[in-house]
Amino acid sequence: MSGKNGLTDVIIIGGGVIGTAIAFYLTRNGAKVILLEKEHLASGSSGACDGTIFLQTKKPGLHLQLALESSKRFPRLKEELPVDIEYRQAGGLVIIETEAEYRAMQSYTEEQRKIGLDVSLLAGRELRELEPRLAENILGVAYSPWDGQVNPMALTLGYGLAARKMGADIRPGTGVTGLEVKGNRIQAVNTSQGRFEADFVVNAAGVHAPEIAKMVDINVPITPRRGQLLVTEAAAVSFPRVLLSAKYVAVKFNPDLAKTAGEGLTIEQTANGNFLLGSTREFVGFDKRTTMEKLHLIAKNTSRVLPCLRELNAIRAFAGLRPYTPDGYPILGPVAGLENFIMAAGHEGDGIALSPITGELIAQYITNGRTEIPLSDFRLERFDRPPADSGKNNG
């Protein structure tokens, strides 16, 4: 695939992990790409999140299948990208604290195993042998050796640098001001740095994707959802596995549970030894401030589960905005009525984990007109379907 008469093949709007991943896979396929980012790469959600690659948080069905395929690509990315993305696959634990959570996770993990995930429920001696540092009152864990982690900022920059080396035109400091439509196609993208034309336009603007879509009178149901995280000093102790609570899994797909069951917790130790502790899920618009109330709650919940954290000092905190969709799944693929407008947004907390497969599938669609995994269930138009069909969208 190559531009006609010098015309760019693809304009990507958004320089986060999704936009840069798409740029990477497209340029590897030989496409001529311009990536537009109003600030700098990883300046949004991708630079203000943890780096967990959790397969266990994916709902059994197509969502989990997508994540399984995505996880297979990280070992290759570790070798291909020009920076150390700090990828490791040491496994992950979903902490179970109540009998009700245990029953729910029994059914949940059974369905995940049917899809092909290596996951098991552990309790008693098995649990203590696997991770003796967990609090004594922990009832059990769901454990998958396939879960892992990565440095999200390094991953984003790695995609971008690799794409640039292969010929992509990466333009930070370039905000989109308007989209020109002619017939059923976007003819041009107007920006703070001039006007650009391309065969395809990809909306990978994360929480700002609705603003881009409104320029062509399209409604995209993505809402910013704030996640606050606490960072500790580097610790001598090594805790290689990523960890989250069963509550976190439940709240991901049912926000109302946060009012009664709490928001859950996440624990991850970085390559430098610092712990990243989180995370909240708050609908507060575009407010990226941290709050003492939530940070105290994070510290309390995480140290309750992993008591060794009480020996560490917190050194900073930050918050990022996650692009939430009503059903918890990303919006991927072409948009009805505009044949060259492609959506790639709404991953919420799954952007890091799903970036390889998202980048590859969008590149496949643009290059070949088809994808190895169907995108029909992830398209924007699913939100226009009658309520009776809404539960069937993602199996």
Side-chain angles (χ1 to χ4, degrees):
M1 180 179 183
S2 60
K4 304 175 183 67
N5 301 318
L7 179 68
T8 297
D9 291 318
V10 186
I11 292 172
I12 300 168
I13 302 171
V17 74
I18 298 300
T20 55
I22 295 168
F24 169 72
Y25 283 101
L26 275 170
T27 52
R28 201 171 71 173
N29 287 355
K32 189 175 179 181
V33 173
I34 293 177
L35 184 147
L36 308 174
E37 166 55 48
K38 66 179 178 179
E39 295 183 27
H40 54 80
L41 299 188
S43 59
S45 301
S46 303
C49 63
D50 62 32
T52 56
I53 303 171
F54 248 114
L55 301 178
Q56 295 187 67
T57 62
K58 311 305 180 286
K59 217 171 191 178
L62 189 55
H63 198 212
L64 178 56
Q65 291 175 337
L66 205 65
L68 287 168
E69 285 300 315
S70 198
S71 69
K72 295 175 184 176
R73 287 154 173 79
F74 277 102
R76 183 178 175 184
L77 287 171
K78 183 178 180 180
E79 303 301 322
E80 286 184 320
L81 299 185
V83 298
D84 181 8
I85 63 173
E86 299 174 12
Y87 170 71
R88 63 183 181 185
Q89 190 178 42
L93 305 174
V94 175
I95 301 301
I96 301 169
E97 299 184 73
T98 69
E99 292 287 351
E101 289 175 3
Y102 197 91
R103 289 192 296 272
M105 291 304 296
Q106 279 181 312
S107 174
Y108 192 78
T109 54
E110 183 179 345
E111 291 299 314
Q112 289 183 318
R113 280 192 292 272
K114 291 178 182 177
I115 301 297
L117 179 63
D118 183 353
V119 61
S120 54
L121 281 179
L122 304 177
R125 186 177 65 183
E126 285 184 315
L127 166 59
R128 299 301 157 193
E129 289 176 351
L130 179 69
E131 187 44 73
R133 288 167 293 187
L134 292 176
E136 289 294 328
N137 64 333
I138 299 302
L139 191 62
V141 298
Y143 168 64
S144 175
W146 293 358
D147 292 327
Q149 65 186 123
V150 72
N151 182 318
M153 190 169 291
L155 180 64
T156 305
L157 296 177
Y159 283 137
L161 288 171
R164 176 177 282 167
K165 285 184 177 182
M166 291 185 288
D169 184 358
I170 309 294
R171 293 179 176 250
T174 308
V176 174
T177 58
L179 302 176
E180 297 179 19
V181 176
K182 185 175 182 180
N184 63 344
R185 295 179 61 84
I186 295 177
Q187 185 176 34
V189 179
N190 293 311
T191 79
S192 58
Q193 302 298 321
R195 182 177 181 272
F196 300 90
E197 295 186 7
D199 293 331
F200 289 90
V201 175
V202 178
N203 183 357
V207 294
H208 298 288
E211 300 166 28
I212 301 299
K214 282 180 182 177
M215 295 176 181
V216 287
D217 297 322
I218 290 173
N219 179 51
V220 171
I222 289 176
T223 307
R225 201 179 197 188
R226 184 172 69 187
Q228 299 186 45
L229 292 103
L230 200 59
V231 186
T232 76
E233 62 186 328
V237 62
S238 175
F239 192 84
R241 297 184 183 91
V242 290
L243 182 154
L244 57 73
S245 71
K247 294 184 182 67
Y248 189 96
V249 177
V251 171
K252 175 181 174 60
F253 295 98
N254 186 352
D256 290 335
L257 289 178
K259 301 172 185 176
T260 56
E263 292 173 316
L265 57 90
T266 62
I267 299 173
E268 170 197 4
Q269 190 175 28
T270 69
N272 291 331
N274 308 85
F275 278 90
L276 294 183
L277 310 177
S279 171
T280 63
R281 290 176 176 269
E282 309 165 80
F283 293 108
V284 291
F286 287 87
D287 185 355
K288 292 192 286 186
R289 293 175 295 180
T290 57
T291 64
M292 290 305 298
E293 176 191 1
K294 294 297 185 180
L295 296 178
H296 279 301
L297 186 62
I298 290 171
K300 177 183 176 182
N301 287 339
T302 53
S303 61
R304 183 191 73 242
V305 167
L306 193 62
C308 65
L309 293 174
R310 296 170 186 162
E311 306 301 319
L312 300 177
N313 294 311
I315 59 173
R316 70 183 183 95
F318 63 92
L321 302 175
R322 321 293 178 227
Y324 164 85
T325 64
D327 60 6
Y329 304 123
I331 303 171
L332 307 174
V335 176
L338 281 176
E339 62 182 33
N340 68 335
F341 189 47
I342 311 298
M343 284 296 306
H347 295 72
E348 200 187 349
D350 296 332
I352 302 301
L354 295 183
S355 63
I357 193 63
T358 298
E360 193 161 331
L361 290 175
I362 296 299
Q364 287 175 4
Y365 179 82
I366 290 174
T367 305
N368 306 316
R370 60 185 183 276
T371 57
E372 63 182 77
I373 298 174
L375 297 179
S376 54
D377 284 347
F378 295 103
R379 290 184 58 177
L380 175 64
E381 290 74 36
R382 72 183 186 265
F383 296 107
D384 296 326
R385 297 172 186 169
D389 295 335
S390 61
K392 303 177 185 178
N393 294 344
N394 292 285

